[in-house]
Amino acid sequence: MVSCNSSLKVCKECFYLTFEEEIHKVIIDNHLFKPGERVAIGASGGKDSTVLAHVLTELNRRHNYGLDLFLLSIDEGITGYRDDSLETVKRNEIQYGVPLKVVSYKSLYGWTMDEIVKEIGLKNNCTFCGVFRRQALDRGATMVEADKIATGHNADDIAETVLLNILRGDIARLGRCTQITTGEDGSIPRCKPFKYTYEKEIVMYAYFKKLDYFSTECIYSPNAYRGFARDFIKDLEQIRPRAILDIIRSGENFSVSSSTKLPEQGICERCGYISSQKWCKACVLLDGLNRGLPKLGISRTRGRRGLKLEIEPPVTTEAEMQQKELPKGKPCTSLDF
């Protein structure tokens, strides 16, 4: 067996120890956690989050981090996929002795992904799911008073994100997507202990450790844009094995000219979530769904030079706000809308 980062041939037991201690080094070198912190582990039931839960539990015990760990799962409402994977997470709760909190799109937004797909179709459904999921993680972590969220994003995921942001010309996200901890200026920072860990290492660890994880891909994402970036990077890795880490390092060295105007982070006027617009993306998408205009939040117009123009959110009447139980003129701080 070969350890990907060291390129050394090792036995299973040495691979396990090397893998775990490399994660420990990343945690210590980057000061990811502080003793006494309450850390929510984003748990989907897949290999990445399952290995993360297993390793953090082990390292917390071995190195006496002093963390209060728990699992946080998002139920998007995808029949035949998420309902099955959540059963895996519930078993992980027992196996690792870590409490579990599950929050659903239905309870937060009034919609499941199954219902959204019926409205929007398969072409843009990942946009809705991605936006809602990011916010749902924050809302769930707030419910359980977490100090930090740990996610299972690995080196392959981050390299894909760098490439996607280059292709989209998204300078703002490109400048922060390689950061190991994000959202430090917000209420709940997120960290990525697997930032320098190859996906193949995680797969080997999960397989040989015989961890209980769910391996089926989302039924709504076979044509997701990210998949094309993933295939390209896998091909590139065949030519240059260190390509993934090279892409991450390139992203880390990326700098933005001081004269470049970047979006300023503010607060959504409707729900109080972080946003660079009057309304956050989740509120715009949700408003479109509730109005019977599901493409409202993903429609675009083009300026004279091909610049993307943001669509101004429609004005919501007082009656509509009362119907949605959102007080007029006051940011929503409730986690139940």
Side-chain angles (χ1 to χ4, degrees):
M1 186 180 297
V2 179
S3 176
C4 298
N5 281 335
S6 64
S7 298
L8 296 176
K9 292 183 178 181
V10 295
C11 66
K12 285 184 182 179
E13 294 304 319
C14 288
F15 168 70
Y16 300 151
L17 183 60
T18 300
F19 180 91
E20 293 161 1
E21 289 306 305
E22 284 178 351
I23 304 304
H24 171 63
K25 186 176 187 304
V26 169
I27 290 172
I28 297 302
D29 289 351
N30 293 276
H31 309 287
L32 296 190
F33 307 116
K34 297 177 182 178
E37 282 189 326
R38 187 167 170 79
V39 179
I41 302 172
S44 66
K47 64 183 186 315
D48 297 318
S49 63
T50 300
V51 172
L52 180 62
H54 176 87
V55 171
L56 280 186
T57 302
E58 174 62 24
L59 293 179
N60 191 39
R61 179 195 60 78
R62 183 188 304 168
H63 295 288
N64 194 27
Y65 289 166
L67 302 178
D68 182 11
L69 301 174
F70 64 95
L71 304 177
L72 175 59
S73 291
I74 307 302
D75 181 3
E76 301 94 339
I78 303 177
T79 305
Y81 169 67
R82 183 55 71 209
D83 47 357
D84 291 338
S85 69
L86 283 176
E87 292 303 314
T88 302
V89 179
K90 291 174 183 177
R91 292 195 297 271
N92 292 159
E93 176 187 14
I94 299 172
Q95 292 160 356
Y96 304 136
V98 180
L100 167 66
K101 173 67 176 178
V102 180
V103 294
S104 69
Y105 282 8
K106 189 68 174 180
S107 63
L108 292 177
Y109 309 115
W111 291 78
T112 66
M113 274 308 299
D114 286 341
E115 293 168 342
I116 291 173
V117 169
K118 288 181 180 179
E119 292 290 323
I120 194 69
L122 292 172
K123 185 176 181 180
N124 295 297
N125 64 88
C126 289
T127 298
F128 284 82
C129 195
V131 171
F132 287 166
R133 184 177 178 79
R134 281 191 294 273
Q135 190 179 106
L137 270 175
D138 282 349
R139 291 181 178 275
T142 300
M143 289 178 185
V144 293
E145 300 180 339
D147 299 301
K148 196 164 291 179
I149 301 172
T151 65
H153 292 96
N154 56 52
D156 299 56
D157 297 328
I158 297 172
E160 292 163 12
T161 303
V162 171
L163 181 58
L164 286 172
N165 287 330
I166 290 174
L167 295 175
R168 292 167 175 159
D170 195 331
I171 296 176
R173 285 192 174 91
L174 182 58
R176 64 176 182 266
C177 69
T178 58
Q179 295 174 0
I180 195 166
T181 300
T182 57
E184 291 181 288
D185 54 343
S187 58
I188 306 178
R190 297 188 186 196
C191 64
K192 300 183 280 284
F194 288 167
K195 176 182 175 180
Y196 301 112
T197 306
Y198 290 107
E199 183 179 41
K200 63 181 70 174
E201 287 185 297
I202 294 172
V203 171
M204 285 193 297
Y205 187 90
Y207 177 77
F208 288 111
K209 275 278 189 179
K210 295 181 172 57
L211 300 185
D212 186 1
Y213 66 94
F214 187 77
S215 58
T216 302
E217 291 290 332
C218 176
I219 60 176
Y220 294 140
S221 66
N223 297 315
Y225 189 38
R226 178 175 287 271
F228 297 103
R230 180 178 298 117
D231 292 341
F232 173 77
I233 288 178
K234 293 301 182 187
D235 291 340
L236 193 61
E237 190 181 18
Q238 294 297 318
I239 301 171
R240 182 179 175 83
R242 286 188 56 85
I244 289 175
L245 291 183
D246 288 343
I247 292 173
I248 294 175
R249 296 298 186 190
S250 296
E252 290 174 336
N253 293 326
F254 174 82
S255 61
V256 180
S257 171
S258 58
S259 62
T260 302
K261 186 177 181 180
L262 297 176
E264 296 181 3
Q265 293 286 8
I267 299 296
C268 173
E269 293 180 354
R270 192 180 192 208
C271 73
Y273 190 71
I274 295 175
S275 175
S276 58
Q277 304 292 328
K278 290 182 179 181
W279 281 15
C280 69
K281 190 68 172 178
C283 281
V284 174
L285 292 173
L286 185 60
D287 189 75
L289 287 170
N290 291 333
R291 287 171 173 268
L293 302 170
K295 295 186 179 180
L296 178 67
I298 57 176
S299 299
R300 297 175 179 174
T301 58
R302 293 282 172 178
R304 290 176 57 188
R305 296 185 180 180
L307 298 176
K308 188 196 304 183
L309 301 179
E310 294 291 337
I311 296 178
E312 187 75 12
V315 176
T316 304
T317 65
E318 183 174 1
E320 289 172 324
M321 294 188 105
Q322 291 176 347
Q323 184 179 0
K324 294 176 173 52
E325 298 181 352
L326 293 172
K328 182 180 179 181
K330 180 181 178 181
C332 175
T333 56
S334 170
L335 299 173
D336 301 321
F337 91 86

